[in-house]
Structures are given as structure tokens and as C-alpha cells.
Amino acid sequence: MGKLVFKRPESLQKTPTHYCPGCSHGIIHRLVAEVIDELGVREKTIGIAPVGCAVFAYNYFNCDMQEAAHGRGPAVATGVKRVLPRATVFTYQGDGDLASIGLAEVIHAAMRGEKITVIFVNNAIYGMTGGQMAPTTLVNQKTTTTPTGRLEEYFGKPLKIAEMLSTVETPSYIARVSVFTPKEILRAKKAVKKAFETQEKGLGFSLVEFLAACPTNWNLPPVEALKWIEKNMVPYYPLGEFKVPEKF
Amino acid sequence: MPEKFLMKGNEALAEAAIRAGCRYFFGYPITPQNEIPEYMAKHLPEVGGVYVQAESEVAAINMVYGAAGAGARVMTSSSSPGISLKQEGISYLAGAELPCVIVNMVRGGPGLGGIQPAQSDYFQVTRGGGHGDYRLIVLGPDSVQEIVDITFLSFELADKYRIPVLILGDGLLGQMMEPVEFPDISVEKPAKPWATTGMKDRPQNIIKSLHLDPLELERHNLKLQKKYSEISDNEQRMELFMCEDADLFIVAYGTTARIAKSVVVRAREEGIAAGLIRPISLWPFPNKAFEKIIDRAKVFLTLEMSCGQMIEDVKLTVNGRVPVVFYGRTGGIVPKFRDVLEKLRQLDRSDWHG
Ligand SMILES: Cc1ncc(C[n+]2csc(CCOP(=O)(O)OP(=O)(O)O)c2C)c(N)n1
Ligand code: SF4
């Protein structure tokens, strides 16, 4: 008998996924689940699901879950964490959810230094509602509401959340990662782990921004979509750690 | 003898909440309710509680959602424009059946309106306020002592029915000072096995309001409706003031009920058989009380600090059997004793049925 090297993390449920083929949400769920397993915190973890394609995250993560209103994840997480200061609390949010309608909630959670972890999935588009422009949509990127591409003179340039949140003075862990190669996936996992460790050590707020693929709304086959991240998103959204708490 | 304190309505409410076991408060400043968050900021830490000043009312109510979902007794307070912003969260709280207490110290509207006392949010609060088929329990006290009693009751009802309870006051009730005593009771907090506290030794708990399958959502809504009719059966509250032999009834709650009481006393001295029906629960509206007196009623006068909102519930209750007339002031103006008395005198005719 061979050694079992790949199995479902305990923090993921045995539910078949509803995500499109090649969607990054699945792999990002898995990384989060592996980290929760490795830190042994599953039984004290409360996850906050977003409104977006990941709204059913509560069916995938094998821990207690709350579903928040669109963009309000960090406020909901604040409520949970203040009541249960020893719990591990994370939000999982798309770029419409976090960077548009929920921008105030995430910035203020960071400012207060809420000891929560935010998993921010930037796929440069609104997935669930059918591919409209997000605040993170690249200049000239076509979406259903920017049919000729995002025009800078009308809609400006996309928001850089990781950079913006690193200007908040309260200590926190902020990183941007991606999933377009196995090497990047490994790096991403390290960042997720550091983010959760920041929370476990009580060092402050943590956020990991993922550059993620939405092949369906980008109109690209899955492999091309991963290449599109590397070619188009990475130059505008540089990867790396933007902020690490001093005492980490 | 229980100790008496001279307290402002807002402070008494905050103190009562703490004594009722509320340990979490999320707020955002707005006149005329600032004494509540300020009191909480000062006194919650003394009992191991947490006060957070949120970035907005939207955030505050969603913090309430998270805290309520984690099983805590939790409260937020605001005034009209802020309550409008909270409606998104209130709808989600109702959908997810989370217990919490929300205070609205109403000010005049619409829009930014003014900061003087009003009752113009009655429609909003008694019809749910946000989107979807839902209700809140809405309680409208008329004195500082009743603010205290209703605050205790609100936390109890919220937990019992897993429903948001809204306390409806106004700037006048919040600012006025009266002697109060706090009930000497030990607070019982029911177990909340549904709360998200970490899934050790039990299956996963999920707090949510999403039901994409229409049949499932219909089932959920019917379950909510069943709960609402149970509440309507069991939780109607009202005061009947000098109603025993009355035939001319003022209907008023909160601040206007205080005026109505003194008007009724004076009218009686003039030989007018006036009485006051004072709804305390605004939802459920205490329609049962009307049945006791409707046979001898010749007219109902609703007295409100609005352009006429509760009058619709009175009309629904009376259902055309007796005339219902309205008197009110709006914009933050409190109706004057002598104007209400004059209105009552005009209504004291014998030809209502003829
Ligand atoms: C208040 C409110 N506004 C709008 C919507 C509709 N809506 C659902 S998901 C979504 C955006 C999803 O995009 P994103 O957050 O980027 O997540 P993705 O689906 O791409 O993972 C919107 C606008 C909503 N549910 N609630
Ligand atoms: S629409 Fe995009 S984000 Fe949503 S599941 Fe499909 S690929 Fe993923």
C-alpha cells in the first residue's frame, strides 16, 4: 500500500463544489482549510462567508460559519471576535464584496486592529452577478458593464487593497499572493499561515489578497486564465508581503 | 426598599441593559441618543463588557449580527437617519432569527430632518423596516421607569423568540429625568445551542438568511409568520387609562400618551367621558384591547407626533365600526395640552352615530 499523500483537510466538508472549472475559489478554500488544520484551531474557528460566488463557503468549510450581508464580513467578524476573543475568526471576501461595497468595513477593522484574518479574493470582476466591472478591474479590461474595456477617464484606475491597507498604522499582516503556478500556491499557503498566526499570537489584523482566476467571466479557458493573471494582473498588483507585525 | 435613582431616560436605558445582561454594544454617534453609547463606553468595561464605536450604523448593526450569532446579549442604539441605515442589517437579523435589542430615539424627518422629538418612524419600525416579509417586536415606553422595565423585557423577548426587539422612544423621553428603580431580579440567559461558538463536540452551526430554493425560502417565511402570530397572541401590551366608562378614546403611545393622560384627567373634570388607550407594544399592535371597549366607543382620536401613522393601525383594528380621527404635530413639535383638550371638546358630540 502506498502512503496517503493527498487527502481532504478536516476543515473542508465532503460537499461537491459549485464553482466553475478552473475557478480559484476552490484552491483558496483548500489552502485556508489546510492552515486551519495545521494550526489545530478548527474547533474554535468561526468563518464569515461573503455575498458573491463564495456565498456557500459555509457548505464547504467544516467549522462554524456565519453568512454576512454584502461587504459586511469584517463588521460581522468584529462582533464575533469581541464576544469570543479566543476564537479564530476569518472572513472570506471577493473584490466586489471587500473593495467596493465593504471598503469602509475592512479599513476600519484594520484600523481597530481586530484580531481577525481576511481572505480577499481579487478576480478583477464581479463573478456571481455575471461579470460586471469591479473596483479591481484592470484598465481596458472588458466586462459586461465596460463592453469596450474599462476606460480610465470614466472609471479611474483599479484599487490596490493590499497597498492601501498597509498605510494603516495599526500593526497588521498584509500580503498579496496568487495561485497561477504550484510555486505560487506554496507561497500563498505560507502567507495564509502567517496571517492566521498573526491572529493566534494576538498581533493584530491580517489580510491576504489573492490574485485569482474567474475563467467564466473572463471568457478564457482555465489554463489561459492562470496565464492572464501572471501577464496582466501581477504587473499592476505586485506580489509579496506589504506589512508584517514587528513582533512576528 | 429598592433604591431610587434620578436618571435621564437614555442613561436609565443603558443601565437597565447592563443589568439585563447586555455585555456588547456597537454604536455610532447621533443626536438625541448619545448618552446611551457614552454610558456604555464608560460602564461596560467595568463589568467585562465591550463597547465599540463603529464606522457607521451599517457596520454597527452588522457587528450586532456577529455578536448575536455568537450567542451574546447585544444592543445598538441610534436615531432615525441612523436607523434607516441599519435596515439592511435588521432584515438579515430577522432572516437569520438573531436576538438583539435596537433602540430608536426618534427625531423628525424625512432626510436629515431635525433633532427634536418625533414619532414619524412608526411606519418603518412596525412594518419591519427593511426588505422581506418580517416583523420586529416594537415597544414604546412613556416614562423613564417604563424605559427600564421595557429594556429588561426586550432582552427577554428577543432571546425567547429569537427576534430583534426595537425600543421606540424620542429625544424627550431620552433626555427627561425621572426617579427610577431597577428590578431586583437575577437575569436568566437561556442556552443558545444554535450559536456559532466553535464546533467542538457538536455538528456545524451556520447563521444565515440565504435560502436559494424557493420552496425552502417559503418554508422559512411560513415558519417566521408562525412565530409572529404566536407573538401577536401572547405579547400584546397596552395600558387602559380611565377607560372604564369612557366613550371618547384617545389612542396615543410614548410622549404623546403623557400629554393625553393629563388631557383625559382635565376632560373628566369637564364631564367629558374620555379615556386613553396606550399601546405599549406597537408591534404586535394591541388590537385585543379595543374589543373590550368598542361597543361603547363613539370616536377614537389618535394623537401622534407625525402626520398620522399609527392611525392606520387603529383604523385596521376598528375596521369601520367607529370613526377614527387624527390630531398631531410634526417636525419635532410636541402637541400642546390645550390644543389636544380643545380637539377633544370638539369631538364630544352626541351625533357621532346619527
Ligand atoms: C446589497 C447588495 N447589493 C448587490 C448584491 C448583488 N451581488 C451579489 S454578489 C455581488 C458581487 C460579487 O462579486 P465579488 O465580491 O467580486 O465576488 P465573486 O463573485 O467574484 O467571487 C453583487 C454585486 C447583493 N447581493 N447585495
Ligand atoms: S463565476 Fe468566476 S468566480 Fe464565480 S465560480 Fe465561476 S469562475 Fe469562480
Side-chain angles (χ1 to χ4, degrees):
Chain A
M1 275 260 295
K3 203 175 135 216
L4 186 65
V5 289
F6 190 80
K7 67 174 176 60
R8 182 173 47 82
E10 210 189 344
S11 298
L12 277 188
Q13 303 194 29
K14 264 191 221 146
T15 321
T17 165
H18 77 286
Y19 295 118
C20 309
C23 173
S24 303
H25 277 307
I27 179 74
I28 299 170
H29 281 28
R30 188 181 169 96
L31 295 182
V32 172
E34 284 178 1
V35 166
I36 293 173
D37 276 11
E38 285 166 24
L39 296 177
V41 295
R42 187 181 70 88
E43 292 184 338
K44 69 174 188 86
T45 295
I46 293 103
I48 315 295
V51 174
C53 281
V55 67
F56 290 125
Y58 53 71
N59 288 333
Y60 302 137
F61 287 110
N62 187 23
C63 60
D64 274 0
M65 296 288 295
Q66 294 195 15
E67 171 226 51
H70 196 20
R72 316 300 176 215
V76 172
T78 297
V80 175
K81 186 76 184 198
R82 294 298 181 127
V83 172
L84 305 169
R86 274 178 290 279
T88 305
V89 180
F90 75 95
T91 73
Y92 187 102
Q93 304 179 256
D95 43 359
D97 196 78
L98 181 144
S100 193
I101 197 166
L103 191 56
E105 281 76 8
V106 75
I107 290 182
H108 284 268
M111 180 202 76
R112 290 189 303 268
E114 296 296 341
K115 289 160 193 67
I116 61 171
T117 299
V118 174
I119 303 297
F120 169 41
V121 181
N122 175 0
N123 57 14
I125 208 152
Y126 282 41
M128 190 188 213
T129 42
Q132 297 84 1
M133 180 182 68
T136 44
T137 294
L138 296 176
V139 170
N140 295 328
Q141 184 185 338
K142 281 189 184 167
T143 70
T144 55
T145 50
T146 52
T148 55
R150 176 177 180 155
L151 294 175
E152 191 186 327
E153 54 273 42
Y154 283 5
F155 302 118
K157 291 185 175 190
L159 273 186
K160 295 182 175 180
I161 293 296
E163 286 84 343
M164 182 194 279
L165 286 180
S166 343
T167 67
V168 174
E169 293 282 341
T170 313
S172 60
Y173 177 78
I174 311 281
R176 185 184 286 122
V177 298
S178 191
V179 292
F180 54 82
T181 59
K183 200 170 119 197
E184 293 305 329
I185 293 174
L186 281 178
R187 280 203 186 130
K189 179 160 170 197
K190 281 195 188 125
V192 172
K193 194 152 187 183
K194 257 178 143 168
F196 275 89
E197 280 169 353
T198 298
Q199 176 175 180
E200 291 312 299
K201 293 178 183 171
L203 299 178
F205 176 87
S206 52
L207 176 141
V208 179
E209 173 173 343
F210 277 86
L211 302 183
C214 174
T216 303
N217 287 303
W218 293 357
N219 292 311
L220 289 174
V223 176
E224 293 302 311
L226 292 178
K227 287 186 188 150
W228 196 89
I229 299 179
E230 188 173 12
K231 182 158 170 274
N232 297 293
M233 290 184 80
V234 174
Y236 187 79
Y237 296 117
L239 304 180
E241 284 183 332
F242 289 81
K243 212 174 163 192
V244 180
E246 243 169 59
K247 286 180 275 178
F248 193 89
Chain B
M1 265 254 308
E3 212 180 333
K4 285 233 181 206
F5 302 86
L6 189 64
M7 284 181 103
K8 271 189 180 183
N10 281 334
E11 288 168 355
L13 193 155
E15 177 62 27
I18 294 173
R19 291 185 188 225
C22 171
R23 290 293 175 271
Y24 302 91
F25 183 95
F26 304 96
Y28 187 84
I30 185 168
T31 306
Q33 57 80 58
N34 289 322
E35 293 85 358
I36 299 176
E38 284 163 5
Y39 195 94
M40 288 306 207
K42 189 165 173 205
H43 295 290
L44 269 179
E46 297 166 2
V47 292
V50 176
Y51 163 84
V52 177
Q53 180 165 321
E55 56 273 29
S56 68
E57 290 85 350
V58 175
I61 194 73
N62 282 286
M63 292 173 187
V64 168
Y65 180 100
R73 279 205 165 164
V74 53
M75 183 167 96
T76 184
S77 68
S78 188
S79 179
S80 311
I83 295 291
S84 289
L85 268 185
K86 286 185 195 292
Q87 293 306 335
E88 175 196 67
I90 295 177
S91 172
Y92 277 71
L93 284 155
E97 297 187 83
L98 293 179
C100 65
V101 175
I102 302 156
V103 179
N104 183 1
M105 289 295 173
V106 183
R107 54 190 257 182
L112 200 48
I115 57 168
Q116 299 303 322
Q119 296 179 324
S120 41
D121 295 354
Y122 180 93
F123 281 157
Q124 184 193 49
V125 297
T126 57
R127 269 63 184 162
H131 62 284
D133 256 341
Y134 76 90
R135 299 285 189 170
L136 311 172
I137 294 179
V138 182
L139 302 172
D142 81 337
S143 68
V144 180
Q145 183 61 55
E146 199 171 71
I147 285 177
V148 167
D149 299 338
I150 273 182
T151 301
F152 276 87
L153 177 67
S154 296
F155 283 100
E156 213 176 282
L157 293 178
D159 279 346
K160 179 172 175 193
Y161 294 103
R162 288 188 62 180
I163 190 172
V165 176
L166 190 140
I167 302 176
L168 194 70
D170 61 48
L172 204 89
L173 289 165
Q175 302 295 330
M176 112 187 137
M177 288 185 97
E178 283 181 340
V180 285
E181 37 184 77
F182 292 90
D184 186 20
I185 47 167
S186 66
V187 171
E188 270 177 55
K189 289 192 194 175
K192 297 180 178 175
W194 46 264
T196 57
T197 50
M199 56 182 290
K200 204 170 156 54
D201 309 323
R202 62 155 169 77
Q204 182 194 35
N205 278 346
I206 301 174
I207 302 290
K208 66 170 179 121
S209 60
L210 179 70
H211 305 271
L212 269 188
D213 172 9
L215 275 176
E216 188 191 307
L217 182 54
E218 185 180 49
R219 261 199 306 278
H220 177 62
N221 268 304
L222 293 177
K223 182 183 134 203
L224 291 181
Q225 291 304 317
K226 199 166 155 239
K227 171 164 89 178
Y228 300 149
S229 57
E230 191 187 327
I231 293 170
S232 186
D233 287 344
N234 300 333
E235 307 298 346
Q236 294 195 5
R237 287 177 167 79
M238 83 299 294
E239 181 191 6
L240 296 178
F241 179 77
M242 300 186 101
C243 282
E244 301 74 36
D245 55 347
D247 58 12
L248 201 166
F249 296 90
I250 303 183
V251 188
Y253 68 94
T255 291
T256 48
R258 295 172 71 93
I259 303 157
K261 272 183 189 168
S262 32
V263 169
V264 164
V265 171
R266 170 66 74 84
R268 287 277 175 168
E269 287 164 15
E270 296 183 9
I272 302 173
L276 167 70
I277 300 178
R278 179 171 75 90
I280 297 170
S281 60
L282 302 171
W283 198 89
F285 190 73
N287 49 15
K288 289 187 217 159
F290 286 73
E291 295 310 321
K292 295 184 194 151
I293 49 89
I294 191 117
D295 289 340
R296 61 187 144 85
K298 61 182 184 188
V299 64
F300 292 98
L301 168 66
T302 75
L303 177 63
E304 303 179 54
M305 295 191 294
S306 73
C307 295
Q309 300 195 5
M310 183 183 63
I311 188 172
E312 295 197 0
D313 280 336
V314 177
K315 283 185 172 171
L316 279 171
T317 302
V318 170
N319 202 14
R321 288 175 286 179
V322 177
V324 180
V325 296
F326 172 74
Y327 180 75
R329 296 296 300 271
T330 176
I333 295 173
V334 180
K336 288 200 174 60
F337 170 85
R338 64 178 147 77
D339 293 341
V340 182
L341 181 63
E342 188 48 39
K343 182 79 189 172
L344 207 61
R345 287 176 183 144
Q346 289 165 15
L347 293 177
D348 188 33
R349 320 193 306 252
S350 51
D351 60 349
W352 279 107
H353 292 290

